[in-house]
Amino acid sequence: MTPDGPRLKVQREPRRQVDKQPAWFTVDDGMTRRACFVLDVSPGGAKIVTDQVIDVRDRFKLALVPDHPKRQPCEVVWRRGKTYGLKFIP
């Protein structure tokens, strides 16, 4: 690697750390609901963890507030055991 000039600093979205905030995700058009915990969240995505390793689909809806009608469509962008990185889809 040769230095061609000053390195540009990549600006990341501000993330808010949360202490395992309970959340729920739904698949099958809301027919199947699973509990999870949010570890951090930003305007563009979140990191969640589940109690057990599960086969999460690539897309599902995440509810950050129980029994609230708002569900945020998400896409899984990475997986590490029981931890998943999500990107919010408009």
Side-chain angles (χ1 to χ4, degrees), residues 49 54 60 62 70 72 75-76 84:
V49 66
I54 55 174
F60 56 86
L62 182 67
K70 172 116 170 104
Q72 179 65 52
E75 180 176 26
V76 177
Y84 304 88

Side-chain angles (χ1 to χ4, degrees), residues 18-75:
V18 291
D19 188 27
K20 285 187 116 178
Q21 174 185 337
W24 297 263
F25 63 91
T26 58
V27 295
D28 303 328
D29 292 327
M31 299 297 285
T32 304
R33 179 177 152 169
R34 291 276 181 114
C36 64
F37 295 97
V38 177
L39 301 178
D40 70 29
V41 66
S42 73
K47 180 168 54 171
I48 65 168
V49 66
T50 58
D51 287 336
Q52 56 188 341
V53 177
I54 55 174
D55 183 23
V56 175
R57 296 203 168 121
D58 289 333
R59 291 181 181 227
F60 56 86
K61 292 187 178 180
L62 182 67
L64 297 172
V65 179
D67 300 322
H68 193 275
K70 172 116 170 104
R71 304 281 188 264
Q72 179 65 52
C74 312
E75 180 176 26

